[in-house]
Amino acid sequence: MTRVLLLALLLPALPLGVAARAIHDTAPGAEPRLLRFCFEETPAPPWRTRQQVGLYFDLLREVAHRLDLTFVFEPLPWPHCIAKIEAGRVDGAFAVAWSPERRDMFAFPEHAPTVPADILRTDDILLIRRRDSEVRVVDGRLLGTARPVGVLPGYAIADDLQRLGWPVETASRDHVVQLSRLVAGEVDAVALSAFRWKQLQAVGGPALARLEALPEPILTKHYFLGLSRAFAEAHPQLARRIWAAVREVRDGEDYRRREAAALAEALAPRP
């Protein structure tokens, strides 16, 4: 019995981490058939949930099916996911916002961030303030406060704002907690996804009524399937095939239809 066949029989009984190592070790130098991805564990419907439901998982499972691969997904706090990428303990992560600071650890599609077909999704970033606030942005400068802007930890938004000279703080991993701190006056502004802001507005509530978004986005972010730099350099052809399959699935009629329905449902007003 060959070693590969023996492993195939044993894998169902092995713990996930052991199974992954077994597949990666079956043929040194060969392309792996099992890839490990981490993702932010905080739910962001309709894109992802900790239970691995959402548009990202629909897309990536179809990619794996088309390439005859197995993808294993691990929910983690985003900073821990980034640390695993840096340590080479996972093969990729999603969805990764492109930024110059991340090119040393992540490999992105060749023409990122300029080619729309490679993008998993695009979202504007808004600055949220209290309605009685003097916080404003003029020519890229943050005015009306000397306090840091709330940003989720590990997010590329922090790099972007710091590049502009803005102070940032990453004390909370949850947008709702950040906004609660804003209402309470603990911070003067929070950087928030425009899509998430629309979702919260659909729910409403007295606390939210005390907040407002500046009319113009402060950033526009493009999100990708990021492969670890080590993985992409070790398996460049496989990396290109994965990104090509992502483009095919994302631009397919079936995925586009499911995406449109999921986005509409996520933004529907809640009673």
Side-chain angles (χ1 to χ4, degrees):
M1 181 179 293
T2 68
R3 184 166 180 256
V4 172
L5 179 56
L6 179 60
L7 283 171
L9 294 173
L10 291 175
L11 281 177
L14 292 176
L16 180 59
V18 176
R21 289 194 299 272
I23 290 181
H24 275 280
D25 293 343
T26 54
E31 290 184 344
R33 309 310 301 165
L34 184 146
L35 279 71
R36 295 159 292 176
F37 294 93
C38 57
F39 65 96
E40 164 60 51
E41 65 180 2
T42 304
W47 307 104
R48 66 169 189 267
T49 68
R50 185 180 175 86
Q51 293 72 33
Q52 303 180 17
V53 174
L55 290 168
Y56 289 149
F57 301 102
D58 293 344
L59 187 152
L60 292 176
R61 288 182 179 117
E62 179 59 24
V63 168
H65 173 74
R66 293 187 183 195
L67 298 178
D68 193 26
L69 298 172
T70 298
F71 289 171
V72 174
F73 307 120
E74 181 180 7
L76 290 171
W78 191 240
H80 295 185
C81 183
I82 296 293
K84 276 201 167 188
I85 287 285
E86 290 183 301
R89 296 173 60 195
V90 292
D91 301 308
F94 58 92
V96 183
W98 187 94
S99 72
E101 292 83 358
R102 289 187 165 173
R103 288 180 295 181
D104 288 340
M105 91 176 74
F106 280 106
F108 292 93
E110 181 179 1
H111 300 293
T114 58
V115 176
D118 289 322
I119 298 170
L120 293 182
R121 71 180 180 97
T122 295
D123 200 357
D124 288 330
I125 306 301
L126 304 177
L127 193 68
I128 313 300
R129 66 180 185 180
R130 291 182 298 278
R131 289 188 177 274
D132 60 354
S133 170
E134 294 296 323
V135 171
R136 61 200 184 278
V137 177
V138 178
D139 297 329
R141 294 176 297 133
L142 178 67
L143 302 177
T145 182
R147 300 166 77 183
V149 173
V151 179
L152 295 183
Y155 279 43
I157 298 168
D159 297 331
D160 296 327
L161 296 182
Q162 288 173 324
R163 212 180 299 120
L164 293 172
W166 295 22
V168 301
E169 61 117 89
T170 56
S172 171
R173 292 184 50 237
D174 185 271
H175 283 134
V176 174
V177 174
Q178 283 188 329
L179 294 176
S180 297
R181 296 183 63 224
L182 177 58
V183 170
E186 296 176 21
V187 294
D188 289 332
V190 167
L192 182 66
S193 150
F195 185 84
R196 182 63 174 141
W197 179 243
K198 290 178 183 177
Q199 283 184 304
L200 292 171
Q201 287 181 309
V203 176
L208 198 66
R210 298 175 59 186
L211 305 177
E212 65 182 0
L214 294 185
E216 296 297 325
I218 56 173
L219 297 167
T220 297
K221 299 301 295 179
H222 304 298
Y223 298 89
F224 298 85
L225 174 66
L227 299 176
S228 76
R229 176 65 60 183
F231 175 88
E233 291 178 353
H235 309 288
Q237 294 183 357
L238 178 56
R240 286 193 291 271
R241 291 201 303 274
I242 291 171
W243 285 319
V246 167
R247 288 193 294 271
E248 291 173 1
V249 175
R250 180 186 174 278
D251 291 337
E253 181 179 344
D254 180 65
Y255 180 79
R256 288 296 193 186
R257 184 172 56 251
R258 280 187 287 170
E259 181 184 50
L263 293 177
E265 196 280 331
L267 296 177
R270 298 294 189 268

